[in-house]
């Protein structure tokens, strides 16, 4: 049973990563009435975030070019997912942003307890 829960938590992390990118895409396309700015923000910012994730955190660090560990990894994740939650709050409302942030925190705590980091 614990193995299933750990697998579900790992899958949840993947979906949180996708949700973070989706939140930033949504924010980018609502940031301004100017279409050029919408396209730049809606496509450019998520690409930058995806590149940062790939460089420093992909696959729990196993697939990252420059893997981060320990407190640096934690700070990077907090900034990355926190930025996504702020983008969601800015584009939508407080409730979806709080749900996203809460799910991330629960996932992160379980990853620490189960040594999935």
């Amino acid at each position: 049973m614990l193995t299933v829960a750990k697998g579900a938590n790992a899958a949840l992390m993947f979906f949180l990563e996708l949700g973070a990118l989706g939140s930033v895409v949504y924010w980018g396309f609502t940031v301004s009435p100017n279409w050029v700015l919408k396209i730049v923000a809606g496509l450019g910012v998520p690409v930058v975030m995806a590149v940062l994730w790939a460089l420093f955190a992909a696959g729990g660090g196993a697939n990252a070019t420059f893997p981060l560990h320990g407190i640096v990894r934690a700070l990077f994740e907090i900034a990355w997912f926190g930025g996504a939650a702020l983008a969601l709050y800015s584009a939508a409302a407080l409730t979806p942003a709080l749900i996203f942030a809460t799910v991330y925190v629960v996932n992160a705590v379980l990853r620490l307890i189960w040594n999935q980091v």
Side-chain angles (χ1 to χ4, degrees):
M1 185 67 163
L2 185 59
T3 304
V4 172
K6 286 181 178 182
N9 199 49
L12 177 60
M13 179 62 174
F14 174 71
F15 289 115
L16 282 168
E17 294 166 16
L18 293 179
L21 292 174
S23 297
V24 176
V25 168
Y26 183 65
W27 166 81
F29 283 107
T30 62
V31 74
S32 170
N34 181 335
W35 274 100
V36 173
L37 186 57
K38 282 184 179 196
I39 291 171
V40 169
L43 299 177
V45 174
V47 166
V48 169
M49 284 187 66
V51 168
L52 288 172
W53 190 260
L55 286 173
F56 301 112
N63 300 331
T65 306
F66 307 103
L68 301 176
H69 303 285
I71 191 73
V72 177
R73 165 71 185 219
L75 292 174
F76 178 81
E77 277 193 22
I78 290 167
W80 205 79
F81 287 103
L86 287 175
L88 190 57
Y89 170 66
S90 176
L94 180 61
T95 303
L98 284 177
I99 291 169
F100 181 82
T102 301
V103 171
Y104 166 71
V105 168
V106 170
N107 175 266
V109 168
L110 289 175
R111 284 185 296 122
L112 284 172
I113 291 170
W114 292 334
N115 199 24
Q116 290 181 303
V117 179

